[in-house]
Amino acid sequence: MPRNVVVLLDNKDGRSMIKRACKENGLMFAEFEELVQSEVEQTGKQRRAGLWDSFDDILDRIQVDE
């Protein structure tokens, strides 16, 4: 399995479980997936430059959508 794969997002049952949890908590699955992908892209790096900026951008969009 590739190192940059989140197992729960890589299978049907896991995706369904996360989608359900997102819906119950008022979060769009696509935005959750984008937050996770931002973290995954930083995996293995000594310095996670830009991670907080990326999170801020995504979370700001979520707040605007509400």
Side-chain angles (χ1 to χ4, degrees):
M1 177 182 314
R3 193 173 125 203
N4 62 349
V5 171
V6 176
V7 176
L8 280 174
L9 295 174
D10 195 42
N11 68 64
K12 184 179 176 182
D13 292 336
R15 288 180 83 78
S16 294
M17 182 179 72
I18 292 172
K19 284 180 180 180
R20 188 172 42 253
C22 285
K23 185 176 183 178
E24 290 170 1
N25 290 285
L27 180 65
M28 300 287 292
F29 176 75
E31 292 161 337
F32 170 82
E33 196 171 27
E34 194 174 351
L35 287 167
V36 171
Q37 188 59 38
S38 294
E39 175 65 29
V40 167
E41 288 171 359
Q42 298 292 326
T43 301
K45 293 183 179 178
Q46 295 248 342
R47 188 166 177 266
R48 295 176 180 218
L51 181 60
W52 297 121
D53 292 335
S54 179
F55 280 5
D56 286 343
D57 290 342
I58 296 164
L59 295 173
D60 284 347
R61 278 189 273 129
I62 292 170
Q63 291 175 358
V64 169
D65 291 345
E66 293 176 347

